[in-house]
Amino acid sequence: MIKHGFVIALFGLLFPMHSQAQQCPEISADTDSSRIIVAGGSITEIIYDLGAGDKIVAADSTSNYPAAARELPQIGYVRALSAEGVLSQEPTLLLGEDDTGPPEILDQLRAAGLPIAILGEQHDSQGIIDKVRCVGDLIGMPEAAEAYIAERLKPAADTLLAVQSSDKPSGAILLGIRDGTLIAAGTETSGDGLLEMMSASNALEQMSGWKPVSREAMIVADPSFLVIPQRGLDAAGGVEGLLEHPTLKFTSAAKNGRVFAMDGMAMLGFGPRTLNAAAQLADDIRAEEGTASE
């Protein structure tokens, strides 16, 4: 039985996330960033990493990292904000990921005079670096952002560049099981972006978005490895339970027991941790194949 919290996260990720040129939204130079509300876990993570967590007065339910973020007042799910809930925190700025909404609530908040900046999403290493730079600019900490990029992000991005090759293993990113059906990443998803960062090919590139996958389609795709959020794996009954699922049991990945799991937001949130997650997965997968990345 999949827990309620996982179903909410699953529902959000079913909608395709569009990769596009990332541009930083503009806000007035005199915008007060002392009381920030955040809608989107990756932005929350970035603000804490820049040492400005004390600026956040509330955040959405996807903001679960670092641990301190879980103690913040919550404003609901990123796609289903409440104008009353947001305004009750007396914020001076709302920062949101590209799926923040619904649009009519954002219109209400703007009409109430709240400055809002919605960041675009780009599912690659440069997109993560650009997001950090953008957040730094929006909260008045550009120097801290550049130092963080140089010290923490650039080394991880360089590691990923080192594993790029024409010999790409074929894998599938799974979200979990919903009502007995396997949900997996096609193109135009954060999962597809993760595979690209790992220098792996998407075995399910024939579909787009997060979609249910039939046994026939998975057999044809025949991924050599599977990656799944830890919560999705636990809900499926662990590795053994997952690989016994009829959609997967005849794949090369299942036959060889090649399943990799880690924190879902680290994998798919495309915040700073996603760079290290992709590098770790790339190394683990190639190490199992006997061609560990250098």
Side-chain angles (χ1 to χ4, degrees):
M1 183 74 177
I2 299 177
K3 296 182 179 178
H4 180 66
F6 181 71
V7 172
I8 292 176
L10 178 67
F11 176 77
L13 286 173
L14 285 177
F15 291 84
M17 297 180 179
H18 301 289
S19 290
Q20 56 189 14
Q22 186 165 335
Q23 296 181 339
C24 191
E26 294 184 2
I27 59 174
S28 173
D30 60 357
T31 298
D32 180 3
S33 64
S34 63
R35 295 183 60 81
I36 302 171
I37 279 186
V38 181
S42 69
I43 298 175
T44 299
E45 178 183 345
I46 291 167
I47 293 175
Y48 272 98
D49 282 357
L50 295 182
D54 58 346
K55 288 176 174 278
I56 305 176
V57 296
D60 80 299
S61 59
T62 69
S63 297
N64 55 23
Y65 183 88
R70 296 195 286 271
E71 304 301 319
L72 293 167
Q74 283 205 358
I75 56 168
Y77 180 57
V78 61
R79 294 180 184 269
L81 303 183
S82 157
E84 293 79 9
V86 170
L87 294 174
S88 69
Q89 300 296 327
E90 300 181 352
T92 58
L93 176 64
L94 187 152
L95 298 183
E97 294 180 348
D98 66 340
D99 53 354
T100 301
E104 57 269 22
I105 295 300
L106 296 183
D107 290 342
Q108 290 180 32
L109 293 172
R110 291 187 181 99
L114 178 63
I116 297 175
I118 304 299
L119 281 67
E121 193 70 45
Q122 182 176 313
H123 294 136
D124 56 28
S125 298
Q126 188 59 50
I128 295 171
I129 290 172
D130 289 346
K131 187 187 292 186
V132 171
R133 184 171 287 127
C134 178
V135 171
D137 288 345
L138 291 170
I139 67 174
M141 300 181 67
E143 296 85 0
E146 292 301 332
Y148 180 79
I149 289 168
E151 295 169 11
R152 297 278 299 278
L153 302 187
K154 189 63 164 58
D158 289 345
T159 297
L160 286 172
L161 282 175
V163 301
Q164 296 297 308
S165 69
S166 57
D167 181 21
K168 295 185 176 184
S170 173
I173 305 292
L174 311 179
L175 196 57
I177 299 171
R178 186 184 64 170
D179 298 330
T181 301
L182 197 72
I183 308 298
T187 59
E188 298 184 20
T189 62
S190 55
D192 188 62
L194 179 67
L195 286 165
E196 183 64 29
M197 288 172 67
M198 294 159 51
S199 192
S201 63
N202 190 344
L204 296 167
E205 63 181 0
Q206 75 278 4
M207 70 181 195
S208 64
W210 292 95
K211 299 280 179 62
V213 184
S214 68
R215 180 175 64 177
E216 293 75 13
M218 188 63 80
I219 290 173
V220 170
D222 194 26
S224 66
F225 67 89
L226 306 169
V227 180
I228 185 171
Q230 187 64 53
R231 289 183 67 184
L233 182 63
D234 293 343
V239 172
E240 183 176 349
L242 179 71
L243 296 185
E244 280 300 311
H245 192 281
T247 302
L248 294 172
K249 65 187 303 181
F250 298 110
T251 64
S252 296
K255 292 173 184 176
N256 296 311
R258 303 193 72 221
V259 178
F260 302 86
M262 60 172 56
D263 178 81
M265 280 298 293
M267 285 169 46
L268 303 172
F270 275 75
R273 289 182 297 158
T274 303
L275 282 167
N276 288 324
Q280 184 63 58
L281 285 166
D283 195 62
D284 289 348
I285 288 165
R286 286 166 172 78
E288 276 206 3
E289 292 180 341
T291 56
S293 58
E294 298 181 5

